[in-house]
Amino acid sequence: MPGGTIKYVPLQPPKDGATRTTSAADWTIDMTALEKAINPQTRMIVLNSPHNPVGKVFSKTELEAIGALCVKNNIIILSDEVYDRLYYVPFTRVATLSPEIARLTLTVGSAGKNFYATGWRVGWLIGPEHLIKYVSAAHTRICYSSVSPLQEAAAVGFERADKVGFWEESKREMKSKMSRFCQVFDELGIPYSEPEGGYFVLANFSKVQLPTDYDFPLHVAERPRDFKLSWFCIMELGVAAIPPTEFYTAENAHLAEDWLRFAVCKNDDVLDGAKERLRGLRKYMKE
């Protein structure tokens, strides 16, 4: 959108997230701040639920409040729901809340996320014809086409998934992996945010004391603390995690700089190996 200006309204972490394990539901959006970010030129709100990296599933009440703002101001909702098959609490599609909200909503889906084959890059948009026609026109000029065999494979996957109970089994399996992996944080006294959906978990590393004389490369040393934590875990422990401030603007980075995002969509032996390596953090923990 030529000339478009992005305004960010960040999710606020739980106030006690550094001292106790909380729920992803405790990451909240400031509705007053969201309303203040809207002006007569606002054209679209981008929403993500289940959320990456937090794992929050926006409640029906939260979605109704956001939807009401969009209806009031005639704002399109781009609802990223690529983890829509992997949730552990009730999940609401914003487009189902009312005909008025549905008229404004484009819903994003992903076979790659649904079937743990993210390299496939097969996805879709669902929405009213008066919005989809513009997306189709842009899509033709951006990527032109997708890989037909992978589209066919995705279609077959959806035809078979319900018959073999794939969706429910995926939830049980990922929930089990989440519990298995987070045991190490319980052992170490590292609080984390229990996800409501997806396969990521945020852990709060505020208790981890990085060596003051550690030689970080310049491109890491200049970034927020979570980048340093991530680099340290990779180099000293052999465990990779994503620094969540990468999802934030510089002015809001302080909200997430003590957190790290871990993925549990791994074989159990890999998770167990990572847990053993993370136990090496004990000597860096604050008393």
Side-chain angles (χ1 to χ4, degrees):
M1 294 182 292
T5 300
I6 301 174
K7 292 188 177 181
Y8 297 92
V9 181
L11 281 176
Q12 301 289 330
K15 289 182 173 58
D16 52 356
T19 57
R20 71 177 186 91
T21 292
T22 54
S23 167
D26 297 326
W27 292 69
T28 57
I29 187 164
D30 184 336
M31 291 302 299
T32 301
L34 178 61
E35 189 160 14
K36 285 182 178 178
I38 295 171
N39 62 42
Q41 284 73 49
T42 303
R43 295 292 177 262
M44 176 183 287
I45 284 181
V46 179
L47 177 67
N48 177 211
S49 179
H51 190 276
N52 173 21
V54 174
K56 175 184 176 69
V57 173
F58 280 80
S59 69
K60 184 177 181 180
T61 300
E62 289 172 318
L63 293 176
E64 285 174 336
I66 295 169
L69 275 178
C70 292
V71 171
K72 176 183 175 182
N73 295 279
N74 196 34
I75 299 170
I76 295 170
I77 303 170
L78 182 63
S79 184
D80 179 349
E81 300 176 10
V82 297
Y83 297 102
D84 63 346
R85 300 286 184 164
L86 191 59
Y87 51 86
Y88 318 120
V89 298
F91 168 66
T92 301
R93 296 186 187 278
V94 65
T96 67
L97 292 175
S98 73
E100 293 77 17
I101 293 174
R103 183 183 65 82
L104 295 168
T105 303
L106 289 166
T107 301
V108 184
S110 169
K113 294 293 194 295
N114 288 156
F115 296 115
Y116 309 101
T118 51
W120 284 14
R121 298 301 186 211
V122 176
W124 55 87
L125 285 180
I126 301 172
E129 192 275 337
H130 69 272
L131 296 180
I132 288 289
K133 65 181 181 181
Y134 297 110
V135 177
S136 297
H139 183 272
T140 299
R141 288 159 179 78
I142 294 170
C143 60
Y144 192 70
S145 65
S146 186
V147 182
S148 294
L150 298 184
Q151 290 177 314
E152 178 68 17
V156 172
F158 279 108
E159 290 171 350
R160 294 281 299 151
D162 286 324
K163 296 176 182 177
V164 300
F166 178 77
W167 308 123
E168 291 306 315
E169 176 58 29
S170 290
K171 292 177 190 176
R172 286 192 297 270
E173 181 182 23
M174 212 52 62
K175 186 70 172 171
S176 174
K177 289 180 181 294
M178 194 71 68
S179 298
R180 185 188 194 101
F181 181 67
C182 289
Q183 286 171 352
V184 72
F185 297 138
D186 291 328
E187 285 178 32
L188 296 171
I190 292 177
Y192 53 95
S193 178
E194 292 189 55
E196 300 178 303
Y199 41 66
F200 302 117
V201 59
L202 289 181
N204 188 292
F205 273 47
S206 58
K207 294 180 181 178
V208 175
Q209 183 85 54
L210 293 171
T212 55
D213 59 349
Y214 195 83
D215 187 21
F216 291 103
L218 185 61
H219 72 279
V220 174
E222 293 177 339
R223 301 301 295 271
R225 175 174 145 84
D226 58 335
F227 273 80
K228 301 178 185 68
L229 288 166
S230 179
W231 181 270
F232 185 81
C233 287
I234 291 170
M235 302 304 293
E236 303 302 322
L237 306 177
V239 179
I242 296 294
T245 62
E246 185 69 4
F247 295 84
Y248 281 76
T249 58
E251 68 218 48
N252 293 319
H254 66 280
L255 296 172
E257 66 178 357
D258 284 325
W259 300 82
L260 285 180
R261 190 198 78 174
F262 294 86
V264 304
C265 48
K266 311 290 181 183
N267 291 336
D268 287 348
D269 62 323
V270 174
L271 295 177
D272 290 341
K275 287 163 60 179
E276 184 57 38
R277 295 181 183 195
L278 284 169
R279 291 185 178 104
L281 286 172
R282 279 197 177 95
K283 60 184 175 181
Y284 302 105
M285 300 287 288
K286 296 178 185 176
E287 295 296 331

